[in-house]
Amino acid sequence: MLSEFKDFIAKGNVMDMAVGIIIGAAFTAIVTSLVADLINPIIGLVSGGVDFTNNYVTLAGEVAEGTSLEAAREAGANVFAWGSFVMAVINFLIIAFVVFMLVRYVNKVKAMAEGPAEEEAPAGPSEVDLLTEIRDQLAKS
């Protein structure tokens, strides 16, 4: 059983998957930092600092007007935190766009590294066309 496990681990696709997961985790940290530290402040500057995170509706419990979402949750109130969801969707869209742009750039670099695609030579006449032409030439003679 131990040798089967070694064979399983030694397979290329398992190792590739492990490397992919590790690099993916590191890449997630980079993209999250890019969005949180660089892109969101610029968007906040352009949009006048709009942040929906603390917008919520109290479903049950008593919460003073103007209480932050975190304080409302700590007070034990049952809240419908629609603002956090909206911000999560906005952050997802920003992250998805950044990842799209990075993948697009990597694909362009990869295509440039491969060099120009070789063009296929134009196809000549098919075997049937050649045989038909030979038959017609023989019929003429």
Side-chain angles (χ1 to χ4, degrees):
M1 184 163 88
L2 187 59
S3 65
E4 289 179 47
F5 180 71
K6 285 180 184 177
D7 291 341
F8 172 74
I9 293 297
K11 287 185 181 177
N13 52 1
V14 173
M15 296 304 290
D16 292 343
M17 183 180 70
V19 169
I21 290 171
I22 292 167
I23 290 177
F27 186 70
T28 299
I30 292 171
V31 171
T32 302
S33 175
L34 175 71
V35 170
D37 299 332
L38 301 177
I39 295 175
N40 279 347
I42 294 170
I43 290 175
L45 193 73
V46 171
S47 67
V50 175
D51 185 9
F52 298 110
T53 304
N54 283 316
N55 293 354
Y56 63 91
V57 175
T58 305
L59 300 176
E62 290 295 320
V63 178
E65 188 71 28
T67 305
S68 71
L69 176 61
E70 186 177 327
R73 285 181 173 161
E74 287 177 7
N78 188 358
V79 295
F80 183 75
W82 65 271
S84 293
F85 177 74
V86 168
M87 289 308 293
V89 170
I90 290 170
N91 283 338
F92 168 77
L93 293 173
I94 293 168
I95 290 170
F97 181 73
V98 168
V99 169
F100 166 75
M101 295 303 290
L102 288 172
V103 169
R104 186 173 170 227
Y105 178 73
V106 167
N107 286 341
K108 281 185 179 180
V109 170
K110 190 176 179 181
M112 287 176 20
E114 290 175 357
E118 293 183 22
E119 295 182 22
E120 292 183 22
S126 69
E127 188 176 319
V128 172
D129 293 337
L130 290 174
L131 290 173
T132 304
E133 188 177 328
I134 292 171
R135 182 197 66 202
D136 293 344
Q137 288 294 330
L138 288 172
K140 286 182 184 176
S141 10

